[in-house]
Amino acid sequence: MFEKLLVANRGEIACRIMQACRELKIQTVAVYSEADADALHVRLADEAVCIGPAPNKESYLNAANIISAAVITDAQAIHPGYGNLSETASFAEICEKCKITLVGPPSHVMALMGDKVRARRTVREAGVPVVPGSSDVIRDVREAREIAADLGYPVMIKPALGGGGTGIRIIHNPEQMGPALDAARAEARAAFGSGDVYLEKYLSEPRHVEVQVLADNEGNIVHLGERECSIQYRHQKLLEEAPSPVVNSSLRRKLGEAAVKAAHAVGYRSAGTVEFLLDERGRFYFIEMNTRIQVEHPVTEMLTGVDIVREQIRIAAGEKLSLEQGKIWFNGHAIECRILAADGNRDFAPSPGKITRWEVPSGPGIRVDSGVTVGSVVTPYYDPMIAKVICWDQTREGAIARMEGALRGMKVEGIRTTIPHHLRILGNAYFRRGEVDTHFLERRMTPVEEG
Ligand code: ADP
Ligand code: ADP
Ligand code: MG
């Protein structure tokens, strides 16, 4: 096992990784920007190294400074968390060259899955259904119109190297294609350094259902069931649950087998998530694979009892998977609410500031993964997600009730949070019946009266 590991991230996920390291008796190194000198993840680490000024590009995305910090502190491994450098294949390659173990898949696997056009092709050839769409990057508007005519409108333009819901566009007719293609390319180039885009048929009312996988170095791969992540704002998840209210054991087996097949097809290693869209008739289609730990991994941990981050670190250290598919059980129901420093009732406007009160709930089946505490300052530089509340109970109804109680008992002052918005979702009649799709927030939630 590693003696020392550097956590190349901030916030709740950095704190979560450090907990796993303490259990495994691994020393931890935090990295931090000048804006994060007093941040919780810095206080929880055994050592800490400043890696640059506040802007992400100059600190948490600064590969040279992060590698230097690992070398100076003698860290043998780097855990990238999610976001930031977690899916940057060139960073994984640098780590390989510097003989530092990155907790994740090999760089060539990350590169393959990070290019969604190549990923679609690879998993389709392995027999996994993908959303109908272009088999390659779109060359010009004429080709785009031809493909769209075959697929039937509406279609979606998506950046090949995309992530975080950025740059996705819906096109309803051939006239929109020209300007949309130009705009999508420009946005993709600015966000991901490549203007490559591809087309997919736009599914009208899909659910987002994803499968957690774990793969070791010897080709053993298991899945840990699905997560329902249909409650999204601007294609970003806000509340997740496991199991999905509409997935029965037979569909779960099929989804799991498809996810394992996709992972096998690329020689996957580490924890990963295979994302699918599921239609009303129970048909599912691959959209992408995230080659990292995911924000919503705790719902799966609550359901299966598997510590995914600990397994991920063990696999990176070369250990064999200790789990067998037949022995993985799914118990009860878990829900996660992503608490953002943002006003859910005012278009998710960010709400930076100093947290003057921070009282988190506890009790049976309640877990809070937090990156802040009282006195923490939420700056405008980073993702507004500051904590996650995860509740488990034997039934979905019970988990909802427990979450409502937990959120009502959570007292935060100094900033606005999405807690009131989450309570409204939990109280929504469609949500309570499990009738959700990716349009839930815009179609099923009534706007709040301005007060
Ligand atoms: P998850 O499925 O784990 O929730 P998200 O897509 O929400 O994944 O991404 C997790 C975090 O990483 C979010 O903060 C998101 O903004 C960020 N993120 C994901 N992919 C990218 C990317 N390619 N570029 C920049 N940020 C990203
Ligand atoms: P990202 O890499 O940005 O996370 P995804 O391909 O995972 O992009 O898509 C993000 C979200 O956009 C999905 O969860 C879903 O809500 C929506 N979406 C993606 N593809 C389609 C599609 N073909 N039809 C309808 N909705 C889609
Ligand atoms: Mg996605």
Side-chain angles (χ1 to χ4, degrees), residues 5 7-18 20 78-88 102-105 110 210-215 224 227 237 240 268-275 288-301 306-315 336 338 367 369 385 388:
L5 179 147
V7 181
N9 217 305
R10 63 184 303 285
E12 65 85 19
I13 194 63
C15 302
R16 164 72 185 90
I17 295 163
M18 286 173 198
I78 296 180
H79 196 307
Y82 53 71
N84 290 325
L85 291 170
S86 63
E87 291 179 289
T88 306
L102 186 72
V103 179
M110 203 184 272
E210 60 185 33
V211 178
Q212 176 75 54
V213 298
L214 278 172
L224 300 180
R227 294 187 283 259
K237 301 158 187 163
E240 304 94 345
Y268 199 74
R269 187 189 71 204
S270 188
T273 299
V274 185
E275 297 190 335
E288 67 160 340
M289 179 169 192
N290 292 325
T291 55
R292 54 170 163 89
I293 190 73
Q294 235 164 326
V295 174
E296 57 274 22
H297 75 276
V299 291
T300 303
E301 294 186 327
V306 175
D307 183 329
I308 298 169
V309 176
R310 192 172 69 195
E311 289 301 319
Q312 196 190 18
I313 295 171
R314 279 189 179 148
I315 290 166
E336 170 182 277
R338 297 188 185 196
R367 163 174 170 182
D369 282 19
M385 197 186 75
K388 308 181 300 208

Side-chain angles (χ1 to χ4, degrees), residues 116 131 156 158 162-166 168 198 200-204 206 208 229 232 235 237 275 277 287-288 290 438:
K116 292 159 91 176
V131 180
M156 241 180 183
K158 299 169 89 171
T166 305
I168 294 176
Y198 64 106
E200 266 180 11
K201 170 122 190 99
Y202 178 67
L203 305 185
S204 60
H208 175 118
C229 310
Q232 303 181 351
H235 306 300
K237 301 158 187 163
E275 297 190 335
L277 296 180
I287 46 173
E288 67 160 340
N290 292 325
T438 56

Side-chain angles (χ1 to χ4, degrees), residues 125-442:
E125 281 164 8
V128 176
V130 302
V131 180
S134 60
S135 51
D136 222 319
V137 170
I138 296 298
R139 276 178 312 216
D140 52 38
V141 64
R142 227 193 66 202
E143 188 193 46
R145 288 201 182 112
E146 275 168 25
I147 295 170
D150 276 349
L151 294 171
Y153 287 91
V155 297
M156 241 180 183
I157 305 184
K158 299 169 89 171
L161 305 189
T166 305
I168 294 176
R169 274 187 172 67
I170 304 165
I171 316 297
H172 296 275
N173 55 56
E175 290 71 51
Q176 288 179 335
M177 189 61 87
L181 195 60
D182 290 341
R185 280 189 170 141
E187 197 177 338
R189 200 171 295 116
F192 308 112
S194 154
D196 286 353
V197 298
Y198 64 106
L199 285 187
E200 266 180 11
K201 170 122 190 99
Y202 178 67
L203 305 185
S204 60
E205 286 165 356
R207 287 169 181 260
H208 175 118
V209 173
E210 60 185 33
V211 178
Q212 176 75 54
V213 298
L214 278 172
D216 70 11
N217 302 280
E218 295 170 31
N220 301 306
I221 308 183
V222 296
H223 74 84
L224 300 180
E226 83 285 357
R227 294 187 283 259
E228 163 83 59
C229 310
S230 297
I231 304 213
Q232 303 181 351
Y233 175 72
R234 291 191 195 133
H235 306 300
Q236 292 211 31
K237 301 158 187 163
L238 200 60
L239 178 153
E240 304 94 345
E241 61 183 301
S244 164
V246 292
V247 173
N248 58 25
S249 54
S250 133
L251 181 54
R252 178 164 308 117
R253 196 169 50 244
K254 286 185 203 147
L255 280 163
E257 280 168 8
V260 169
K261 216 189 256 180
H264 263 303
V266 295
Y268 199 74
R269 187 189 71 204
S270 188
T273 299
V274 185
E275 297 190 335
F276 297 98
L277 296 180
L278 176 69
D279 73 13
E280 323 77 64
R281 291 167 55 190
R283 293 175 300 195
F284 59 86
Y285 309 90
F286 171 91
I287 46 173
E288 67 160 340
M289 179 169 192
N290 292 325
T291 55
R292 54 170 163 89
I293 190 73
Q294 235 164 326
V295 174
E296 57 274 22
H297 75 276
V299 291
T300 303
E301 294 186 327
M302 300 284 265
L303 213 66
T304 60
V306 175
D307 183 329
I308 298 169
V309 176
R310 192 172 69 195
E311 289 301 319
Q312 196 190 18
I313 295 171
R314 279 189 179 148
I315 290 166
E319 290 184 18
K320 206 178 147 199
L321 210 56
S322 61
L323 303 158
E324 278 170 53
Q325 192 66 58
K327 293 187 182 154
I328 294 166
W329 38 265
F330 304 100
N331 186 22
H333 201 95
I335 303 179
E336 170 182 277
C337 290
R338 297 188 185 196
I339 311 299
L340 315 188
D343 191 341
N345 295 339
R346 282 185 183 76
D347 212 25
F348 294 87
S351 176
K354 185 173 177 148
I355 299 176
T356 52
R357 187 175 182 201
W358 182 259
E359 277 159 44
V360 296
S362 66
I366 301 176
R367 163 174 170 182
V368 181
D369 282 19
S370 172
V372 297
T373 183
V374 67
S376 292
V377 177
V378 181
T379 63
Y381 298 107
Y382 312 112
D383 193 283
M385 197 186 75
I386 51 172
K388 308 181 300 208
V389 178
I390 307 101
C391 288
W392 177 93
D393 201 1
Q394 282 158 348
T395 62
R396 184 171 188 268
E397 260 183 348
I400 293 172
R402 187 161 274 169
M403 181 64 85
E404 287 181 316
L407 293 187
R408 284 205 198 95
M410 186 159 171
K411 306 289 176 200
V412 185
E413 287 170 16
I415 55 166
R416 285 177 189 273
T417 74
T418 45
I419 290 172
H421 194 254
H422 277 113
L423 283 168
R424 293 208 301 125
I425 296 173
L426 294 164
N428 181 284
Y430 290 93
F431 174 78
R432 293 179 96 92
R433 290 196 298 269
E435 289 174 30
V436 296
D437 63 41
T438 56
H439 304 288
F440 173 84
L441 288 186
E442 76 236 36

